RNA sequence: GUGGUUUUAGCUCAGUUGGUUAGAGCGCCUGGUUGUGGUCCAGGAGGUCGUGGGUUCGAACCCCAUAUUCCACC
């Protein structure tokens, strides 16, 4: 994997770059749709590629390991061949599940024992094993196994957890170096900065992570409930320490406004379930603000779903019709909303790239953030 | 015609020996959702208990009349 930093915005820390992987090129800043179980929920790969124009999608180590399992993935020849997505893929390590499935796991120095949410069976995830699993899945970019801490979080806990995450990172790096890719193309391992919302812990972690000089670096443990201002404070702090010539990935973020603000602070890559999850529940993000399609006021609004939208669904269907689909429980509703939201997120980062190149990113961002908060 | 049965929220129904402000599911309205245990979660509105009398300190519940649903028999 190679990162070419093309230019930095003189008025902010925003950057414009290009990541080249074995499966294709990613223009940054980039947004990566989430496909936890090997599928971006409710969306065909064909739509993802042709209509949404996603450059890279995510998968999840924990979920793919449990289902379909390593044997099937190996037999298929890796996730790309299994799910038909020929572009770049990034897998999360299961570190987020350490946080989200906190009542189904036990954590110790060695790793995390998960109680499967499917059948209750026990599975030990060590940093080494998580690397092995991600070799089998075969994503272009794989993530270190970490502990994503909750918020709020006691300083003592955040500090101890951070040290554990750093020890795990060392083990991840060793195993990664000792092993080879399974399918004939290169994989890159990204370490993850933790430290909750404590400045000294974030500085310590960012310095530790920077020392590995990895192909790219991630910031985790944010957007877990803390106020947005604290998230921005941590991002800014960490971006000042991480290498400038490597892509920076802010994990799990976020709302359209969160993405623009973090681009301004120096983030290159984002992922978030919001466009798909909220889409499945009837919420649309648009350049003029958000739409709750469940609201009664849309029932006889026959205007296009999003007159400013770039996706074909924006002009093919009316708000009244898609509202009806949600009310009727028709699965086409979540499909249309997911396509719209993902296309909107792609449009948003495309515009950001264009404005960084044009040199007017900051003024564009300020105006856009204001519009995004409107409730239509 | 006779005997029985039914009637409670928009819909389908609970409701104890008569005892505070009559409940549920669905539907409706409104929120929420940030490295996906999510077709999910939370909140809200909505009832003259078929109708009219009566008994009782107190009635969805007991009594009378009447309307109504369904069933059986003439």
């Amino acid at each position: 994997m190679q990162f070419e930093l093309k230019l930095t915005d003189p008025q902010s820390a925003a950057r414009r770059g290009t990541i080249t992987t074995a499966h294709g090129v990613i223009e940054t800043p980039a947004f990566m749709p989430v496909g936890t179980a090997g599928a971006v929920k409710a969306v065909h790969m064909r739509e993802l590629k042709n209509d949404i124009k996603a450059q890279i999608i995510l998968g999840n180590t924990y979920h793919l390991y449990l289902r379909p399992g390593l044997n099937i993935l190996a037999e298929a020849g890796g996730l790309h061949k299994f799910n038909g997505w020929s572009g770049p893929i990034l897998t999360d390590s299961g570190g987020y599940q350490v946080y989200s499935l906190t009542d189904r796991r036990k954590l110790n120095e060695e790793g995390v024992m998960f109680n499967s949410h499917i059948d209750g069976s026990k599975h030990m995830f060590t940093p080494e094993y998580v690397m092995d699993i991600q070799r089998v899945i075969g994503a272009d970019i794989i993530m270190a196994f970490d502990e994503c801490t909750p918020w709020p979080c006691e300083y003592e806990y955040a500090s101890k957890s951070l040290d554990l995450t750093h020890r795990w990172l060392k083990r991840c790096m060793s195993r990664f170096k000792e092993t080879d890719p399974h399918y004939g193309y290169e994989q890159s391992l990204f370490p993850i900065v933790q430290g909750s919302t404590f400045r000294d812990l974030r500085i310590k972690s960012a310095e530790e992570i920077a020392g590995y000089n990895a192909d790219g670096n991630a910031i985790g443990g944010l957007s877990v409930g803390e106020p947005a201002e604290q998230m921005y404070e941590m991002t800014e702090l960490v971006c000042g320490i991480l290498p400038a010539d490597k892509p920076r990935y802010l994990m799990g973020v976020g709302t359209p406004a969160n993405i623009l603000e973090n681009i301004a602070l120096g983030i290159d890559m984002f992922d978030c379930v919001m466009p798909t999850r909220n889409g499945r529940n009837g919420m649309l993000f648009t350049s003029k603000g958000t739409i709750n399609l469940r609201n009664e006021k849309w029932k006889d609004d026959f205007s296009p779903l999003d007159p400013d939208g770039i996706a074909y669904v924006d002009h093919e269907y009316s708000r009244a019709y898609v509202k009806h689909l949600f009310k009727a429980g028709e699965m086409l509703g979540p499909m249309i909303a997911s396509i719209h939201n993902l296309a909107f997120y792609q449009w948003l980062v495309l515009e950001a790239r264009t404005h960084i190149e044009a040199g007017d990113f900051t003024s564009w961002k300020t105006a856009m953030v204001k519009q995004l908060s409107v409730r239509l």
Side-chain angles (χ1 to χ4, degrees):
Chain A
M1 191 205 94
Q2 278 200 327
F3 179 60
E4 184 195 346
L5 180 59
K6 288 182 171 174
L7 63 98
T8 303
D9 182 22
Q11 293 166 343
S12 74
R15 299 127 57 86
R16 174 77 183 88
T18 303
I19 297 170
T20 305
T21 74
H23 287 89
V25 172
I26 305 157
E27 301 293 342
T28 68
F31 178 80
M32 310 182 282
V34 178
T36 304
V40 175
K41 295 182 194 297
V43 182
H44 283 286
M45 297 301 177
R46 184 171 183 160
E47 295 163 330
L48 220 39
K49 187 181 172 193
N50 298 337
D51 305 321
I52 294 162
K53 297 181 170 58
Q55 310 181 84
I56 171 173
I57 63 172
L58 260 67
N60 180 277
T61 302
Y62 167 85
H63 289 279
L64 290 168
Y65 161 86
L66 287 181
R67 228 170 16 194
L70 298 186
N71 289 342
I72 298 296
L73 288 165
E75 210 176 313
L79 183 58
H80 292 88
K81 289 194 173 150
F82 186 56
N83 71 6
W85 174 260
S86 56
I89 295 178
L90 180 152
T91 42
D92 185 31
S93 62
Y96 186 74
Q97 279 63 43
V98 176
Y99 155 76
S100 66
L101 300 178
T102 182
D103 52 345
R104 299 200 65 94
R105 54 80 170 165
K106 279 182 180 161
L107 181 149
N108 59 32
E109 180 67 34
E110 185 57 20
V112 176
M113 182 70 87
F114 282 106
N115 234 341
S116 163
H117 65 283
I118 299 165
D119 62 6
S121 55
K122 292 187 191 313
H123 303 270
M124 186 66 189
F125 275 50
T126 64
E128 291 82 9
Y129 192 38
V130 169
M131 293 300 101
D132 295 346
I133 298 171
Q134 291 186 98
R135 287 293 196 194
V136 174
I137 296 171
D140 301 272
I141 299 172
I142 70 176
M143 302 303 300
F145 191 50
D146 64 338
E147 182 189 5
C148 176
T149 48
W151 189 88
C153 183
E154 295 292 327
Y155 182 88
E156 282 302 310
Y157 186 87
S159 179
K160 276 183 63 181
S161 168
L162 177 62
D163 291 340
L164 180 68
T165 286
H166 287 170
R167 289 195 296 276
W168 284 0
L169 174 59
K170 195 175 179 187
R171 289 164 58 188
C172 284
M173 286 289 182
S174 302
R175 184 60 150 242
F176 181 70
K177 280 176 191 159
E178 292 162 15
T179 56
D180 294 316
H182 292 205
Y183 310 111
Y185 52 83
E186 179 193 44
Q187 293 179 287
S188 291
L189 171 61
F190 282 23
I192 305 170
V193 173
Q194 289 289 342
S196 190
T197 47
F198 303 104
R199 293 184 66 93
D200 62 323
L201 296 183
R202 286 284 173 182
I203 291 168
K204 176 184 173 185
S205 186
E207 287 172 346
E208 172 89 10
I209 268 61
Y212 283 96
N213 198 31
D215 288 346
N217 300 290
I219 305 172
L222 293 175
S223 65
V224 288
E226 79 285 358
E229 288 66 31
Q230 286 195 44
M231 170 172 68
Y232 301 147
E233 184 189 344
M234 294 301 125
T235 306
E236 183 172 25
L237 184 65
V238 170
C239 283
I241 299 168
L242 292 178
D245 61 344
K246 297 292 167 59
R248 303 173 186 141
Y249 165 28
L250 180 57
M251 306 182 77
V253 174
T255 66
N258 289 161
I259 288 175
L260 296 185
E261 296 294 0
N262 282 297
I263 287 174
L265 299 173
I267 299 294
D268 307 297
M269 304 162 72
F270 300 88
D271 79 283
C272 191
V273 302
M274 209 172 255
T276 41
R277 177 187 288 169
N278 289 25
R280 287 197 304 284
N281 292 319
M283 181 177 175
L284 300 183
F285 294 96
T286 81
S287 58
K288 299 284 197 300
T290 59
I291 292 175
N292 184 347
L293 276 176
R294 292 174 301 186
N295 288 169
E296 192 178 21
K297 60 184 168 187
W298 308 118
K299 69 179 178 190
D300 57 355
D301 185 335
F302 302 104
S303 62
L305 197 59
D306 180 2
D308 306 309
I310 55 164
Y312 75 97
V313 294
D314 294 330
H315 307 280
E316 195 94 343
Y317 303 105
S318 68
R319 291 171 178 180
Y321 178 63
V322 183
K323 177 199 162 47
H324 157 72
L325 294 177
F326 273 98
K327 281 299 164 195
E330 288 290 339
M331 57 179 104
L332 185 57
M335 291 166 68
I336 291 171
S338 295
I339 293 170
H340 161 82
N341 280 344
L342 287 175
F344 171 71
Y345 268 62
Q346 292 304 323
W347 172 84
L348 190 71
V349 290
L350 172 65
E351 284 291 292
R353 294 195 295 263
T354 304
H355 285 283
I356 293 169
E357 286 172 1
D360 62 351
F361 172 75
T362 301
S363 57
W364 170 78
K365 183 211 79 176
T366 304
M368 185 56 68
V369 165
K370 201 172 177 185
Q371 282 195 327
L372 290 168
S373 65
V374 174
R375 297 176 84 100
L376 296 174

